[in-house]
Amino acid sequence: LTIPISIVFSLLCFYIIHLIGTQHYSLGYRLTLAVKRRELVAFYQPIIDAQTGYIVGAEALVRWIKPNGSVESPGAFIQTLEQSKLINKVTLQLVNNMPNDLAEVLQCSPNFRCSINLVPQHLELPFFADELVTLSKNGYPCHQLAIEITERLPLKDLREAGMNVEKMKALGVCIELDDAGTGYGGASYLQELNIDVIKIDKLFVDTLIISPDRTQVLDANIQMAKTLGMQIIAEGVEEPSQSKALLEKGVRFQQGYLFAQPMSAVEFVKFWRIRQESYADQFLNSTQVP
Ligand code: C2E
Ligand code: MG
Ligand code: MG
Ligand code: MG
């Protein structure tokens, strides 16, 4: 009897050692470790005023920098992160790092704004707004921060969310509706959440090249934003023809691979410097020539 027990025991030991030695941890556990080790950082994608070429802002997008240096996009892990409390820690880390990551840009461009993606619990519970109140008291540039509220996930308590949004607005935070027209919120979000900016989803921007004679929903979205006095940012602009068509429709602020991919903080600041310089030169030249 002792022989089979010892065999089972050693097999069990081998299995446990195997588990420890390899990648068989759950994604949730690996993410917990990654957050502790600060492997989740923000990449920044510029938002351009397509009329002047200047960078008016950026969106912070989370990336997982693996110990071997590879960069993983959120597609592979954002759902797991969002379904656990880890998302709170990660979001606060991104918010806390922003002033340092973008110090030069924030200082030189007082109107530059960086947005951060939130999940419903950041609005339905008071901790996130309260954290911003504290940060603001300690000199955090809240007027250069924007929050993106996605339509992709349902908000259960719109009234509570509205109250927390007001707290943030009072600090100067800009309120943006992300993935507009693709999800749950629609008109109720616009009414209750005091939205400043509508981010028109790539889905609608794509109709400009996929089916140019069927851009009615895009046009209606733009018209609605204008009627409500909200600013518009078009997402996922990949082609010059899209950018031009959007400009003709009065949509100046654009984001997409046509201009730049999301970049590490260091790369973003470099990109910003070069672009601001070259466009400032252009502007000087054009004003010198009568
Ligand atoms: P999103 O907030 O709508 O962000 C825009 C996504 O479109 C980003 O993907 C961006 O890299 C991508 N994109 C930008 N321009 C183009 C383009 O021209 N063409 C194409 N094909 N794609 C473009 P990414 O970074 O993979 O993020 C995917 C989604 O993950 C985000 O969609 C957002 O919903 C979520 N996410 C990213 N970072 C965070 C975060 O820190 N917190 C939370 N809660 N969600 C995040
Ligand atoms: Mg977003
Ligand atoms: Mg978006
Ligand atoms: Mg989106």
Side-chain angles (χ1 to χ4, degrees):
L1 189 79
T2 53
I3 294 167
I5 285 178
S6 64
I7 290 175
V8 168
F9 183 71
S10 37
L11 279 177
L12 204 70
C13 285
F14 274 125
Y15 181 57
I16 289 169
I17 289 166
H18 176 73
L19 269 186
I20 292 170
T22 57
Q23 296 278 311
H24 284 101
Y25 293 121
S26 70
L27 178 58
Y29 183 66
R30 282 189 286 131
L31 279 167
T32 310
L33 287 181
V35 174
K36 269 202 195 120
R37 295 175 183 152
R38 299 199 161 245
E39 289 172 9
L40 296 185
V41 303
F43 268 33
Y44 296 94
Q45 186 181 31
I47 294 159
I48 308 279
D49 179 346
Q51 195 146 313
T52 61
Y54 275 106
I55 301 174
V56 293
E59 175 173 6
L61 295 154
V62 71
R63 293 290 182 268
W64 185 352
I65 313 292
K66 297 287 179 67
N68 68 5
S70 68
V71 178
E72 190 156 1
S73 286
F77 61 86
I78 194 70
Q79 229 186 339
T80 306
L81 209 58
E82 285 182 345
Q83 283 163 2
S84 85
K85 286 214 161 77
L86 276 177
I87 190 66
N88 299 339
K89 209 167 170 184
V90 173
T91 310
L92 290 177
Q93 278 180 6
L94 301 195
V95 168
N96 272 297
N97 289 343
M98 193 263 280
N100 192 39
D101 279 355
L102 305 178
E104 180 181 338
V105 180
L106 295 171
Q107 224 164 45
C108 294
S109 308
N111 294 325
F112 180 98
R113 265 196 314 242
C114 179
S115 65
I116 176 107
N117 291 282
L118 297 191
V119 292
Q121 71 221 47
H122 291 128
L123 299 166
E124 289 173 329
L125 301 173
F127 73 92
F128 187 76
D130 290 345
E131 174 77 15
L132 287 184
V133 171
T134 308
L135 284 174
S136 171
K137 279 185 190 144
N138 294 326
Y140 189 95
C142 280
H143 56 285
Q144 289 179 299
L145 180 73
I147 55 164
E148 295 196 10
I149 303 172
T150 180
E151 272 203 24
R152 193 166 49 80
L153 304 167
L155 270 171
K156 285 184 221 90
D157 194 339
L158 207 52
R159 264 203 62 218
E160 184 65 32
M163 282 176 347
N164 286 316
V165 163
E166 279 318 306
K167 252 195 254 176
M168 295 189 241
K169 266 194 108 126
L171 303 171
V173 176
C174 174
I175 317 296
E176 304 186 351
L177 185 65
D178 199 8
D179 308 316
T182 64
Y184 291 92
S188 64
Y189 280 27
L190 291 175
Q191 186 172 301
E192 300 297 324
L193 300 180
N194 216 334
I195 304 286
D196 300 300
V197 177
I198 292 187
K199 295 196 80 170
I200 296 186
D201 197 76
K202 181 173 188 304
L203 185 73
F204 306 114
V205 172
D206 278 345
T207 59
L208 288 167
I209 33 180
I210 296 170
S211 43
D213 51 339
R214 292 191 55 220
T215 59
Q216 291 90 340
V217 178
L218 171 71
D219 295 336
N221 268 322
I222 295 170
Q223 199 46 55
M224 181 180 66
K226 285 181 179 167
T227 306
L228 296 171
M230 295 166 186
Q231 280 187 349
I232 306 169
I233 298 173
E235 294 189 289
V237 181
E238 293 180 345
E239 301 287 335
S241 65
Q242 286 175 310
S243 177
K244 194 163 161 271
L246 285 162
L247 261 183
E248 279 160 10
K249 293 176 191 292
V251 180
R252 288 174 63 162
F253 300 147
Q254 303 178 11
Q255 176 184 0
Y257 295 166
L258 172 65
F259 307 103
Q261 303 242 346
M263 294 168 264
S264 72
V266 171
E267 290 298 320
F268 178 83
V269 174
K270 271 191 216 157
F271 180 88
W272 174 85
R273 269 189 217 136
I274 293 168
R275 199 170 174 108
Q276 297 308 91
E277 273 167 21
S278 65
Y279 280 90
D281 284 350
Q282 244 183 48
F283 182 69
L284 277 178
N285 289 340
S286 66
T287 49
Q288 276 159 10
V289 179

Short mmCIF file of all heavy atoms in Angstrom, two decimals, residues 39-62:
data_model
loop_
_atom_site.label_atom_id
_atom_site.label_comp_id
_atom_site.label_asym_id
_atom_site.label_seq_id
_atom_site.Cartn_x
_atom_site.Cartn_y
_atom_site.Cartn_z
N GLU A 39 4.25 46.46 -14.13
CA GLU A 39 4.46 46.13 -15.55
C GLU A 39 3.36 46.70 -16.44
O GLU A 39 3.47 46.66 -17.66
CB GLU A 39 4.53 44.60 -15.73
CG GLU A 39 5.81 43.98 -15.16
CD GLU A 39 5.80 42.47 -15.16
OE1 GLU A 39 4.87 41.86 -15.75
OE2 GLU A 39 6.69 41.88 -14.56
N LEU A 40 2.28 47.21 -15.81
CA LEU A 40 1.21 47.81 -16.61
C LEU A 40 1.42 49.32 -16.64
O LEU A 40 1.42 49.96 -15.60
CB LEU A 40 -0.16 47.48 -16.02
CG LEU A 40 -0.54 46.00 -16.02
CD1 LEU A 40 -1.96 45.81 -15.54
CD2 LEU A 40 -0.41 45.40 -17.41
N VAL A 41 1.64 49.84 -17.83
CA VAL A 41 1.94 51.27 -17.97
C VAL A 41 1.07 51.87 -19.07
O VAL A 41 0.43 51.15 -19.84
CB VAL A 41 3.42 51.52 -18.33
CG1 VAL A 41 4.35 50.91 -17.29
CG2 VAL A 41 3.75 50.98 -19.72
N ALA A 42 1.07 53.19 -19.13
CA ALA A 42 0.31 53.87 -20.18
C ALA A 42 1.16 54.08 -21.42
O ALA A 42 2.32 54.46 -21.32
CB ALA A 42 -0.20 55.21 -19.68
N PHE A 43 0.59 53.79 -22.59
CA PHE A 43 1.09 54.30 -23.85
C PHE A 43 0.19 55.48 -24.20
O PHE A 43 -0.96 55.54 -23.75
CB PHE A 43 1.04 53.22 -24.94
CG PHE A 43 2.32 52.42 -25.06
CD1 PHE A 43 3.10 52.14 -23.95
CD2 PHE A 43 2.74 51.92 -26.30
CE1 PHE A 43 4.28 51.40 -24.06
CE2 PHE A 43 3.91 51.19 -26.42
CZ PHE A 43 4.68 50.93 -25.30
N TYR A 44 0.72 56.42 -24.98
CA TYR A 44 -0.06 57.62 -25.28
C TYR A 44 -0.23 57.76 -26.79
O TYR A 44 0.74 57.66 -27.54
CB TYR A 44 0.65 58.85 -24.72
CG TYR A 44 0.75 58.83 -23.20
CD1 TYR A 44 1.88 58.33 -22.55
CD2 TYR A 44 -0.30 59.29 -22.42
CE1 TYR A 44 1.96 58.29 -21.16
CE2 TYR A 44 -0.24 59.26 -21.02
CZ TYR A 44 0.90 58.76 -20.41
OH TYR A 44 0.97 58.72 -19.03
N GLN A 45 -1.49 57.98 -27.20
CA GLN A 45 -1.76 58.21 -28.63
C GLN A 45 -2.21 59.66 -28.81
O GLN A 45 -3.14 60.10 -28.13
CB GLN A 45 -2.84 57.26 -29.15
CG GLN A 45 -3.02 57.39 -30.66
CD GLN A 45 -4.10 56.47 -31.22
OE1 GLN A 45 -5.07 56.16 -30.54
NE2 GLN A 45 -3.92 56.06 -32.47
N PRO A 46 -1.54 60.40 -29.71
CA PRO A 46 -1.89 61.81 -29.86
C PRO A 46 -3.27 62.04 -30.47
O PRO A 46 -3.77 61.23 -31.26
CB PRO A 46 -0.80 62.35 -30.80
CG PRO A 46 -0.19 61.17 -31.44
CD PRO A 46 -0.41 60.00 -30.55
N ILE A 47 -3.87 63.16 -30.10
CA ILE A 47 -5.10 63.66 -30.73
C ILE A 47 -4.71 64.96 -31.42
O ILE A 47 -4.09 65.83 -30.81
CB ILE A 47 -6.20 63.86 -29.68
CG1 ILE A 47 -6.59 62.49 -29.11
CG2 ILE A 47 -7.42 64.56 -30.29
CD1 ILE A 47 -7.26 62.53 -27.78
N ILE A 48 -5.02 65.04 -32.72
CA ILE A 48 -4.50 66.11 -33.56
C ILE A 48 -5.62 67.06 -33.97
O ILE A 48 -6.75 66.62 -34.22
CB ILE A 48 -3.92 65.48 -34.87
CG1 ILE A 48 -2.93 64.36 -34.55
CG2 ILE A 48 -3.32 66.53 -35.79
CD1 ILE A 48 -1.55 64.78 -34.18
N ASP A 49 -5.30 68.34 -34.02
CA ASP A 49 -6.20 69.29 -34.69
C ASP A 49 -5.85 69.22 -36.17
O ASP A 49 -4.82 69.76 -36.60
CB ASP A 49 -5.98 70.71 -34.15
CG ASP A 49 -6.88 71.73 -34.84
OD1 ASP A 49 -7.45 71.39 -35.90
OD2 ASP A 49 -7.00 72.85 -34.33
N ALA A 50 -6.68 68.52 -36.94
CA ALA A 50 -6.33 68.24 -38.34
C ALA A 50 -6.28 69.52 -39.18
O ALA A 50 -5.71 69.51 -40.27
CB ALA A 50 -7.34 67.26 -38.94
N GLN A 51 -6.84 70.61 -38.67
CA GLN A 51 -6.80 71.86 -39.42
C GLN A 51 -5.42 72.52 -39.33
O GLN A 51 -4.94 73.08 -40.30
CB GLN A 51 -7.87 72.80 -38.89
CG GLN A 51 -8.15 73.96 -39.81
CD GLN A 51 -9.62 74.35 -39.74
OE1 GLN A 51 -10.51 73.49 -39.81
NE2 GLN A 51 -9.87 75.62 -39.57
N THR A 52 -4.79 72.44 -38.16
CA THR A 52 -3.50 73.09 -37.96
C THR A 52 -2.34 72.09 -37.90
O THR A 52 -1.19 72.48 -38.09
CB THR A 52 -3.48 73.88 -36.63
OG1 THR A 52 -3.68 72.95 -35.56
CG2 THR A 52 -4.55 74.94 -36.60
N GLY A 53 -2.63 70.84 -37.61
CA GLY A 53 -1.59 69.84 -37.45
C GLY A 53 -1.04 69.74 -36.03
O GLY A 53 -0.25 68.85 -35.73
N TYR A 54 -1.49 70.63 -35.15
CA TYR A 54 -0.97 70.60 -33.78
C TYR A 54 -1.56 69.45 -32.97
O TYR A 54 -2.69 69.02 -33.21
CB TYR A 54 -1.31 71.91 -33.06
CG TYR A 54 -0.30 73.01 -33.31
CD1 TYR A 54 -0.62 74.08 -34.13
CD2 TYR A 54 0.95 72.97 -32.71
CE1 TYR A 54 0.30 75.09 -34.36
CE2 TYR A 54 1.87 73.97 -32.94
CZ TYR A 54 1.55 75.03 -33.77
OH TYR A 54 2.46 76.02 -34.00
N ILE A 55 -0.78 69.00 -31.99
CA ILE A 55 -1.27 67.99 -31.06
C ILE A 55 -2.04 68.69 -29.94
O ILE A 55 -1.49 69.56 -29.26
CB ILE A 55 -0.10 67.18 -30.46
CG1 ILE A 55 0.68 66.49 -31.57
CG2 ILE A 55 -0.61 66.17 -29.44
CD1 ILE A 55 1.94 65.79 -31.09
N VAL A 56 -3.31 68.35 -29.79
CA VAL A 56 -4.12 69.02 -28.76
C VAL A 56 -4.30 68.17 -27.52
O VAL A 56 -4.76 68.65 -26.49
CB VAL A 56 -5.51 69.42 -29.32
CG1 VAL A 56 -5.37 70.50 -30.38
CG2 VAL A 56 -6.26 68.21 -29.86
N GLY A 57 -3.96 66.89 -27.62
CA GLY A 57 -4.15 66.03 -26.46
C GLY A 57 -3.64 64.63 -26.74
O GLY A 57 -2.98 64.38 -27.75
N ALA A 58 -3.96 63.73 -25.82
CA ALA A 58 -3.56 62.33 -25.98
C ALA A 58 -4.55 61.45 -25.24
O ALA A 58 -5.29 61.93 -24.37
CB ALA A 58 -2.15 62.12 -25.43
N GLU A 59 -4.57 60.17 -25.62
CA GLU A 59 -5.33 59.19 -24.84
C GLU A 59 -4.33 58.22 -24.24
O GLU A 59 -3.43 57.73 -24.93
CB GLU A 59 -6.33 58.43 -25.73
CG GLU A 59 -7.04 57.31 -24.96
CD GLU A 59 -8.16 56.62 -25.73
OE1 GLU A 59 -8.35 56.90 -26.93
OE2 GLU A 59 -8.85 55.79 -25.10
N ALA A 60 -4.47 57.97 -22.93
CA ALA A 60 -3.63 56.98 -22.26
C ALA A 60 -4.26 55.61 -22.46
O ALA A 60 -5.44 55.42 -22.18
CB ALA A 60 -3.53 57.30 -20.77
N LEU A 61 -3.48 54.67 -22.98
CA LEU A 61 -3.97 53.32 -23.24
C LEU A 61 -3.03 52.32 -22.57
O LEU A 61 -1.82 52.37 -22.77
CB LEU A 61 -4.04 53.07 -24.75
CG LEU A 61 -5.06 53.95 -25.49
CD1 LEU A 61 -4.68 54.14 -26.96
CD2 LEU A 61 -6.46 53.35 -25.36
N VAL A 62 -3.60 51.44 -21.76
CA VAL A 62 -2.75 50.56 -20.94
C VAL A 62 -2.01 49.54 -21.81
O VAL A 62 -2.54 49.05 -22.82
CB VAL A 62 -3.59 49.86 -19.84
CG1 VAL A 62 -4.53 48.82 -20.41
CG2 VAL A 62 -2.70 49.25 -18.77
#
